[in-house]
Amino acid sequence: MSETPRDPQRDYSDALRDYLARPNEKALRRAYELGRGTLTDGAGVLRIAALHHQAMKEVIPDLSADVEESLLIKRAEEVFIESLMPFEMSLRDYREAVSALRRMNERIEEEAKRIAHALHEEAGGLLASTHLALEELARDLSPQGSERLSLVRQLLGQMDEQLRQLAHEIRPILLDDLGLLPALDFLAKGISKRSGVTITVEGSTDGRLPPPVETTLYRNVQEALNNVIRHAHAGKVAVIVTREARAVRCSVRDDGVGFEVSAVSAARGERGLGHVGLRERLDSLKGTLLITSAPGQGAELLMYIPLEG
């Protein structure tokens, strides 16, 4: 025997009528469950407002002769507020999750800064000391020995360059010292050199951005560029940063193979697109991500972060 389909409008009207006639916890509980069901179904507060409005039109005329109008309005407000409680709780949970995510990102960046500093300063210092020791050793070697030592110096030089690049990618010192655009430019040159893809960085931030904003945009551009190199088969990529009155925009546009966004998203989900990390970082700053693409027409990732004040 199949269940009778749920009728939210009838359920809400019955709960409202019951509570207006005689306030009771059972009616309020029904209103709360209706709100929770609406939230679970993916609808919003406008759906609840529509249910309440229609219920008021149906119920108030029936009870206006028996209950004072001001009392009806007060009781109706209590039912409406109760039906909105699941949305309020969901919003509170979301804010707490965003706050926790922001704290976690900050701890990760602090640890990355510590590791990058150790690579750049401590390991770099050891390599510099090794170079000095080799110079002293070279004075006592034969020409043949000096030639072999020269090869060791070249290898050490390559190691030094790779350590500096690794330190920059873990936590760019340029980002802390000079800001977003110089750090992105250095990142683009490094990735371009390794991959052979032409990457340009353009735009202006009109001064320094808040550190969390700079870090988020740097990390997201870094991830976006790596995705392009792995999957897009692009020849050119443009990174454009634009400062607005109360926001900053950053786009990463490539001329690669592109894809059908809706089809890929439906078939494989957000995780399939490889953009989960980008959205999570943006969520912590109330930012948004827009992805546009089409087969054979490249792709663009547009990030938008509001700036407080």
Side-chain angles (χ1 to χ4, degrees):
M1 186 175 180
S2 61
E3 291 186 7
T4 303
R6 185 167 59 93
D7 184 349
Q9 185 62 68
R10 185 185 63 189
D11 292 346
Y12 192 97
S13 297
D14 289 347
L16 181 63
R17 182 181 287 105
D18 187 12
Y19 192 80
L20 293 184
R22 182 178 57 83
N24 61 90
E25 284 297 322
K26 184 178 179 181
L28 289 180
R29 183 66 185 177
R30 289 166 66 187
Y32 175 86
E33 292 297 334
L34 273 165
R36 189 169 70 170
T38 301
L39 180 62
T40 301
D41 292 342
V45 294
L46 291 180
R47 175 60 177 156
I48 292 293
L51 293 175
H52 181 76
H53 178 70
Q54 183 61 32
M56 290 284 284
K57 287 168 55 177
E58 296 174 4
V59 173
I60 291 294
D62 298 339
L63 298 174
S64 57
D66 302 321
V67 184
E68 184 181 347
E69 183 178 353
S70 61
L71 189 57
L72 285 176
I73 293 174
K74 182 178 181 300
R75 291 176 181 175
E77 181 183 357
E78 292 171 356
V79 174
F80 185 52
I81 290 175
E82 193 68 24
S83 68
L84 293 177
M85 284 302 295
F87 294 90
E88 171 66 23
M89 294 170 65
S90 177
L91 179 60
R92 191 179 308 152
D93 290 344
Y94 170 76
R95 286 173 175 167
E96 290 175 356
V98 167
S99 179
L101 179 60
R102 181 180 295 183
R103 291 194 298 271
M104 182 183 70
N105 284 338
E106 289 173 352
R107 288 196 295 270
I108 290 173
E109 287 300 329
E110 284 300 319
E111 183 63 14
K113 186 184 295 187
R114 185 189 67 78
I115 295 172
H117 183 272
L119 284 173
H120 189 270
E121 300 296 335
E122 297 177 19
L126 286 173
L127 282 173
S129 299
T130 304
H131 277 294
L132 291 174
L134 288 176
E135 285 184 10
E136 292 184 2
L137 180 62
R139 297 169 188 163
D140 302 325
L141 293 178
S142 65
Q144 186 178 6
S146 297
E147 185 177 343
R148 293 179 178 177
L149 191 61
S150 178
L151 177 60
V152 174
R153 286 176 176 172
Q154 291 178 19
L155 293 174
L156 286 174
Q158 293 175 13
M159 185 185 300
D160 187 27
E161 183 179 351
Q162 290 178 2
L163 279 176
R164 290 179 186 277
Q165 182 64 40
L166 179 60
H168 176 83
E169 293 185 7
I170 292 175
R171 174 67 193 188
I173 295 174
L174 280 175
L175 184 62
D176 296 320
D177 294 344
L178 300 179
L180 179 64
L181 285 173
L184 289 179
D185 189 59
F186 188 87
L187 172 69
K189 288 177 179 176
I191 294 178
S192 182
K193 183 178 179 181
R194 293 196 302 271
S195 65
V197 177
T198 301
I199 305 173
T200 59
V201 178
E202 308 170 21
S204 172
T205 57
D206 193 21
R208 295 296 297 266
L209 297 168
V213 174
E214 290 187 336
T215 298
T216 294
L217 288 178
Y218 178 85
R219 291 299 182 203
N220 278 7
V221 170
Q222 183 181 39
E223 184 173 339
L225 291 177
N226 287 331
N227 286 338
V228 169
I229 300 305
R230 286 197 298 266
H231 307 298
H233 305 290
K236 295 180 181 180
V237 185
V239 179
I240 303 174
V241 181
T242 307
R243 174 76 173 265
E244 299 179 355
R246 295 188 178 181
V248 60
R249 292 174 179 267
C250 179
S251 73
V252 180
R253 186 184 306 142
D254 69 74
D255 64 352
V257 296
F259 55 91
E260 188 66 49
V261 177
S262 58
V264 174
S265 181
R268 299 163 61 189
E270 183 71 11
R271 197 168 295 277
L273 286 173
H275 300 141
V276 176
L278 279 71
R279 290 198 188 277
E280 287 179 347
R281 296 186 195 98
L282 289 169
D283 283 346
S284 69
L285 297 175
K286 302 178 183 177
T288 57
L289 173 66
L290 176 65
I291 304 167
T292 56
S293 183
Q297 298 183 25
E300 180 180 17
L301 275 67
L302 178 61
M303 295 167 279
Y304 179 93
I305 300 178
L307 300 176
E308 297 180 0

